[in-house]
Amino acid sequence: MRCKRVIAIIVLLATLVIALYFIDKKLPVLLAKDLPAADSVLVKKAERKLYLMRDGITYRSYNIALGGNPEGHKQQEGDQRTPEGRYLLDWRNIKSAYHRSLHVSYPNSKDRTQAAAMSVPPGGMIMIHGQPNGLGWLSPLLQLWDWTDGCIAVSNVEIEEIWRAVGNGTPILIEP
């Protein structure tokens, strides 16, 4: 009898692990819509919104989470601020710790100069990304507050859509 319980528990745990993997990795790919190519991205930090733009018109919007200290422009590494200004989405990471991620070209030369004037490192690795790997199913809860280190977070389904719509070199404007 005890052996049957142990086997039942193992089967249940294995099923749970497989289900969570599917929900986290495979389901977002299946649920994401194929959208037209964006020619720019607009982020409005105060609204907690990311907009995909084409010919100056918004055609898709997403709720976002920012860094834990979101007000103001990123000044230095570790300040948990999301930069403000004009950048590019210059490369992508399919093996991200956060489902998928698109790199924002922060710091630019102005950011590096300002940080050097304060004798601090400017920081970097600012990304638009999904949820932490293995926790995509918690997205409805995680997106309720600003939890990143300065990145722009969306759900895993949403990063799949953005990933498909935004090519490398796409301009991004991040407004306060």
Side-chain angles (χ1 to χ4, degrees):
M1 187 69 141
R2 185 175 182 145
C3 185
K4 287 182 181 181
R5 276 193 190 149
V6 170
I7 290 171
I9 290 171
I10 291 170
V11 168
L12 182 63
L13 288 175
T15 303
L16 182 61
V17 167
I18 291 167
L20 288 176
Y21 173 80
F22 179 78
I23 290 168
D24 197 54
K25 291 292 181 191
K26 301 298 181 187
L27 196 58
V29 175
L30 297 172
L31 293 178
K33 294 180 173 77
D34 287 320
L35 302 173
D39 59 22
S40 66
V41 174
L42 172 62
V43 171
K44 293 188 176 187
K45 290 170 46 175
E47 294 177 12
R48 299 302 189 275
K49 290 282 193 181
L50 180 148
Y51 300 95
L52 295 182
M53 312 289 291
R54 187 170 180 84
D55 299 323
I57 298 169
T58 298
Y59 70 91
R60 189 76 161 174
S61 67
Y62 302 96
N63 294 324
I64 60 172
L66 299 169
N69 184 24
E71 292 186 24
H73 178 61
K74 184 163 192 63
Q75 301 290 312
Q76 67 183 62
E77 185 175 341
D79 66 7
Q80 292 193 327
R81 289 186 177 159
T82 303
E84 297 171 356
R86 294 184 185 279
Y87 299 94
L88 294 175
L89 296 170
D90 54 357
W91 56 269
R92 54 193 59 227
N93 184 0
I94 198 165
K95 295 185 186 243
S96 173
Y98 299 90
H99 193 65
R100 296 186 188 274
S101 59
L102 299 166
H103 184 258
V104 176
S105 64
Y106 174 90
N108 60 26
S109 58
K110 181 181 174 184
D111 298 319
R112 284 190 286 277
T113 300
Q114 288 176 339
M118 296 185 299
S119 299
V120 296
M125 292 303 289
I126 302 298
M127 312 290 271
I128 300 173
H129 61 67
Q131 301 299 298
N133 289 335
L135 299 177
W137 56 278
L138 279 176
S139 179
L141 179 62
L142 290 176
Q143 289 301 101
L144 292 176
W145 69 85
D146 294 320
W147 58 269
T148 77
D149 286 333
C151 293
I152 301 162
V154 294
S155 76
N156 288 353
V157 172
E158 293 167 339
I159 193 62
E160 285 288 341
E161 290 181 357
I162 296 166
W163 180 276
R164 295 175 189 178
V166 174
N168 290 351
T170 300
I172 180 171
L173 173 60
I174 305 171
E175 295 182 343

